[in-house]
Amino acid sequence: MKPDSLETQVPAFEHSSSVRLLLIEDDLRLASLVRDYLAQENFAVTVYHRGDAALAAFDASQVDIVILDLMLPGMNGLQICTELRKTYGGPILILTAKSSDIDHVMGLELGADDFVTKPIEPPVLLARLRALLRRASKTNQAASQNVLVFGTLRIDLQSHRVVLAGEDVDLTTQEFELLCYLARNAGTVLSRDDIYTQIRGIDYDGLDRTVDVRISKLRKKLNDNADQPFRIRTIWGKGYLFVATAWA
């Protein structure tokens, strides 16, 4: 993101843990105060004083959180918020001197995550930012936990969709549950007893061949070698092993 001649930028921190913050604020004194304070708190801050300039240079992949004023030259904050939400899913905090409930509601409806009325003390602003970042982190973690990826294999736990090498794999509910259980325990040998209990909810009696039959069908659908399976391996005398590195 390259600011124009009216903008200022704090050089990005060398620490990979720096939070990349975009501040869009036309009050130069306030922008400088916020920038300098947050820079001390491990934020890499980029400042724009015009809404249109900020939007023109915006790159969602380079921003972790946005502070956005409402009253801006070039384009107002509500318009910017609407445009940012087309490509950006991170936290947006609106910082404004306007205290109207209508503005607050509109900002939140257009995608803002929080609304702070000026004046605000820097430590309070920092606390609000950290709260938004924590919430975003939990959301991202939950989302990532809903999808398991091993090379070309993608398992969406929420939609029950399995894709291998770009092609959808049609699995029954029990086959999907079996695959999920194996994948969540990738690298660990699971006994037939463990698997049977997991997918049927009852103890394995040592005689039922249900597990072996389902593993065989699952291998076939996942293009595993029937004679020498390498994706879901048989560990003789112990059980089955889901190989995380075998899905190229």
Side-chain angles (χ1 to χ4, degrees):
M1 181 178 302
K2 297 181 180 179
D4 60 28
S5 59
L6 295 178
E7 318 305 332
T8 59
Q9 183 179 34
V10 174
F13 287 7
E14 295 181 0
H15 306 294
S16 60
S17 60
S18 295
V19 177
R20 300 165 300 178
L21 183 144
L22 173 62
L23 172 61
I24 310 174
E25 169 61 63
D26 66 332
D27 184 328
L28 274 62
R29 181 178 177 278
L30 177 60
S32 179
L33 174 66
V34 171
R35 177 199 62 194
D36 293 345
Y37 180 82
L38 293 179
Q40 299 175 35
E41 299 294 334
N42 203 31
F43 283 74
V45 184
T46 300
V47 181
Y48 280 86
H49 303 304
R50 290 184 59 89
D52 49 0
L55 188 60
F58 186 74
D59 181 350
S61 67
Q62 300 300 314
V63 177
D64 296 314
I65 190 167
V66 175
I67 299 179
L68 174 63
D69 189 15
L70 276 188
M71 303 299 292
L72 291 164
M75 180 180 288
N76 69 52
L78 293 178
Q79 291 174 312
I80 294 173
C81 187
T82 299
E83 292 301 313
L84 292 184
R85 278 299 180 224
K86 293 179 180 179
T87 60
Y88 175 68
I92 297 177
L93 183 147
I94 290 181
L95 180 63
T96 181
K98 300 181 71 173
S99 59
S100 168
D101 288 339
I102 295 177
D103 291 315
H104 291 201
V105 171
M106 287 184 64
L108 295 174
E109 287 185 345
L110 292 174
D113 298 281
D114 200 358
F115 214 109
V116 176
T117 303
K118 303 174 187 177
I120 185 171
E121 293 296 322
V124 176
L125 177 61
L126 176 63
R128 299 289 277 270
L129 292 172
R130 285 178 171 167
L132 287 175
L133 289 166
R134 283 195 299 270
R135 190 168 71 191
S137 177
K138 290 179 180 179
T139 300
N140 291 336
Q141 183 178 15
S144 65
Q145 289 175 345
N146 283 332
V147 179
L148 303 176
V149 179
F150 301 90
T152 61
L153 177 67
R154 179 183 176 87
I155 307 168
D156 191 319
L157 305 179
Q158 189 168 6
S159 67
H160 284 208
R161 184 186 180 195
V162 176
V163 178
L164 177 60
E167 299 291 333
D168 284 300
V169 181
D170 186 19
L171 300 180
T172 66
T173 298
Q174 291 182 331
E175 287 169 347
F176 180 81
E177 292 175 354
L178 173 57
L179 176 60
C180 288
Y181 182 58
L182 292 170
R184 282 174 171 148
N185 293 277
T188 300
V189 178
L190 301 172
S191 69
R192 288 178 176 82
D193 195 347
D194 293 334
I195 296 172
Y196 193 87
T197 300
Q198 178 67 25
I199 63 175
R200 290 288 295 273
I202 56 177
D203 293 333
Y204 174 55
D205 61 10
L207 299 174
D208 195 314
R209 305 299 296 174
T210 300
V211 171
D212 301 312
V213 171
R214 287 185 181 165
I215 289 285
S216 178
K217 290 182 177 180
L218 188 57
R219 281 172 172 162
K220 184 177 181 180
K221 292 186 177 183
L222 295 173
N223 298 329
D224 205 359
N225 189 308
D227 298 322
Q228 293 183 317
F230 62 97
R231 288 175 164 170
I232 302 176
R233 293 175 53 196
T234 299
I235 308 299
W236 297 109
K238 294 184 179 180
Y240 295 99
L241 172 68
F242 182 96
V243 182
T245 58
W247 305 88

